[in-house]
Amino acid sequence: MQHTEKITGNQLGILLFSFIASTIVLTIPGLMAMFAKQDAWISVIPSTTTGLLSIWVMTKLANRYPGLTIIAYSQKILGKWLGTCLGLYYIYFWFMSISIMTIQHTFFIKTLLLPRSPSIIGSLTLLILCGLAVYMGIEVIGRCSEFLTPLKLVFLIPLLILTIGAADHEQLKPVLADGFLPVLQGAILPAGAFMNQLFILGWLLPYLNQPQKAFKISLYALICIFVFIFIIVLSTILVLGSLTGQLNYSYLSVMQYIGIEGSFERLEAIAVMVWVIGSFVKVSVSLFILSISISQIFGIRNYRDLVAPITLLCLIGSVWVFENGAELQTYLTLIYPSGGFVTQSLIPLLLLLIDTIKRKAMPSPH
């Protein structure tokens, strides 16, 4: 199956980086510090293992089934019936993910920028934009992220430099006061929920114009994600110290604090820009993945026919999925890491394992 749309290696790398790093910037330091306290910055290191695993599994499967998405080759590996069940599960997973991402975006905008506007307006504007991008195709999403992600970093880098002025290295002490266990607990959330989101390679690799470079590009993306999150978590703890674990949007508080300390006002406008750009890329890619998953499971020739109804369904989903921010927070900290680990790390690994066993068991025809 040949895909007419293609993305470059550069675009794939930026898509992966933006998909994972962009929306967790503001939330991840707080979520990790809840468990690891002042050692949360160390937790970033073990958390990358699931990202490495995802890259290895996904590129291996893609090499065995070139040009096919995970939806298509899981039917070849597990058989038609089980493969279809897995495909349906992934459709459910992506539908829920988009609904949750959308409502998370809306809660954030409501909290910070537009407290009086109805939630559905925030969700609707984001989903319409993302739906249009998906309708235009993965190339357009790739180009958008190629333009928007560097723009976002241009604004974040001066912020990080300003953070140095407000940093207090005493906040990092005592290092490993409670041993290594809290550090590992702090790593569970990013490892189970975020780093292994690189499994989206299972849908994106068939569209890569140079498949042989897939592993290298993904690895570069993971290194960039690691460095970026490491700096963000470290700088948040240096500024906020023990407060980090008590705040929903801890990095946002860092921005506001720098704004008060210095002569800068309304630095949170940068946070909003970073968040909106991140949400746009993330939801667009997820909508694209959901559309091609449904089209492949149900044999619909053109996934674009599905974009409008799916976008509408996700809007309904976003209204229905959580009542308030507290429910969302509980889900992100307690439920999503384990569910994410099973869906994003364990299932692809099992697919690779079953495929390897089948290949060993069936002698190749000579």
Side-chain angles (χ1 to χ4, degrees):
M1 183 181 161
Q2 278 304 307
H3 298 281
T4 47
E5 298 177 61
K6 289 289 173 196
I7 50 172
T8 64
N10 204 2
Q11 286 167 347
L12 177 73
I14 291 175
L15 273 177
L16 293 174
F17 174 81
S18 202
F19 190 88
I20 293 168
S22 49
T23 48
I24 60 171
V25 174
L26 302 169
T27 52
I28 199 85
L31 293 171
M32 289 171 76
M34 277 164 69
F35 301 98
K37 311 269 188 310
Q38 73 276 11
D39 293 327
W41 60 280
I42 307 173
S43 299
V44 183
I45 301 166
S47 75
T48 50
T49 46
T50 53
L52 280 169
L53 179 73
S54 286
I55 293 173
W56 180 72
V57 170
M58 286 314 188
T59 46
K60 229 167 170 47
L61 282 166
N63 290 340
R64 291 181 184 182
Y65 297 98
L68 295 183
T69 64
I70 186 168
I71 300 288
Y73 59 66
S74 58
Q75 294 189 0
K76 290 185 183 291
I77 295 171
L78 301 171
K80 185 89 176 132
W81 196 81
L82 267 176
T84 306
C85 288
L86 179 63
L88 290 171
Y89 169 70
Y90 271 130
I91 288 170
Y92 166 76
F93 171 79
W94 282 111
F95 169 70
M96 287 302 288
S97 298
I98 296 165
S99 302
I100 291 161
M101 285 171 210
T102 308
I103 200 67
Q104 201 181 0
H105 164 80
T106 309
F107 282 152
F108 177 75
I109 296 296
K110 251 181 109 72
T111 311
L112 200 66
L113 208 64
L114 307 164
R116 294 171 68 181
S117 68
S119 296
I120 196 150
I121 301 297
S123 305
L124 186 66
T125 45
L126 177 71
L127 281 169
I128 287 175
L129 270 176
C130 297
L132 283 170
V134 176
Y135 190 79
M136 301 304 281
I138 189 70
E139 285 182 29
V140 171
I141 300 171
R143 285 198 202 117
C144 285
S145 68
E146 212 172 12
F147 167 71
L148 292 170
T149 306
L151 183 74
K152 188 171 67 186
L153 294 175
V154 163
F155 280 100
L156 268 176
I157 288 160
L159 265 181
L160 289 170
I161 294 165
L162 287 171
T163 314
I164 297 167
D168 172 16
H169 61 86
E170 289 296 316
Q171 303 278 27
L172 296 178
K173 294 176 183 170
V175 177
L176 294 176
D178 304 319
F180 212 69
L181 188 66
V183 171
L184 291 176
Q185 287 174 320
I188 287 170
L189 186 111
F194 299 114
M195 294 297 192
N196 55 1
Q197 283 181 342
L198 287 162
F199 94 124
I200 61 169
L201 288 166
W203 286 268
L204 297 181
L205 286 181
Y207 296 92
L208 182 62
N209 63 358
Q210 294 165 304
Q212 70 282 6
K213 290 187 177 173
F215 187 81
K216 202 167 96 180
I217 293 160
S218 311
L219 206 56
Y220 282 148
L222 180 65
I223 292 165
C224 293
I225 292 162
F226 163 71
V227 171
F228 182 65
I229 293 175
F230 184 79
I231 293 170
I232 294 286
V233 174
L234 186 64
S235 58
T236 308
I237 294 167
L238 284 169
V239 173
L240 298 176
S242 56
L243 266 177
T244 309
Q246 296 160 28
L247 300 162
N248 278 357
Y249 300 112
S250 43
Y251 195 65
L252 175 65
S253 306
V254 172
M255 292 183 183
Q256 288 167 329
Y257 178 75
I258 296 165
I260 296 160
E261 286 282 288
S263 53
F264 302 95
E265 287 199 3
R266 308 297 301 184
L267 275 181
E268 57 265 41
I270 295 180
V272 173
M273 185 202 72
V274 169
W275 180 273
V276 171
I277 290 175
S279 295
F280 168 73
V281 172
K282 198 159 187 166
V283 175
S284 299
V285 172
S286 305
L287 260 176
F288 173 75
I289 288 174
L290 180 57
S291 302
I292 56 173
S293 300
I294 294 175
S295 72
Q296 288 179 0
I297 283 281
F298 296 105
I300 296 159
R301 181 151 283 181
N302 192 351
Y303 72 87
R304 286 182 171 84
D305 300 340
L306 300 164
V307 175
I310 290 171
T311 309
L312 187 63
L313 276 173
C314 291
L315 178 67
I316 297 163
S318 74
V319 174
W320 157 82
V321 70
F322 292 118
E323 288 289 313
N324 51 39
E327 277 186 20
L328 173 70
Q329 198 66 10
T330 311
Y331 171 81
L332 283 179
T333 28
L334 302 175
I335 302 164
Y336 184 53
S338 49
F341 182 72
V342 170
T343 308
Q344 296 163 186
S345 296
L346 218 53
I347 293 176
L349 188 61
L350 282 171
L351 280 176
L352 183 64
L353 202 65
I354 294 165
D355 189 55
T356 309
I357 294 167
K358 277 175 76 174
R359 281 167 190 253
K360 289 254 166 50
M362 291 169 66
S364 57
H366 287 298

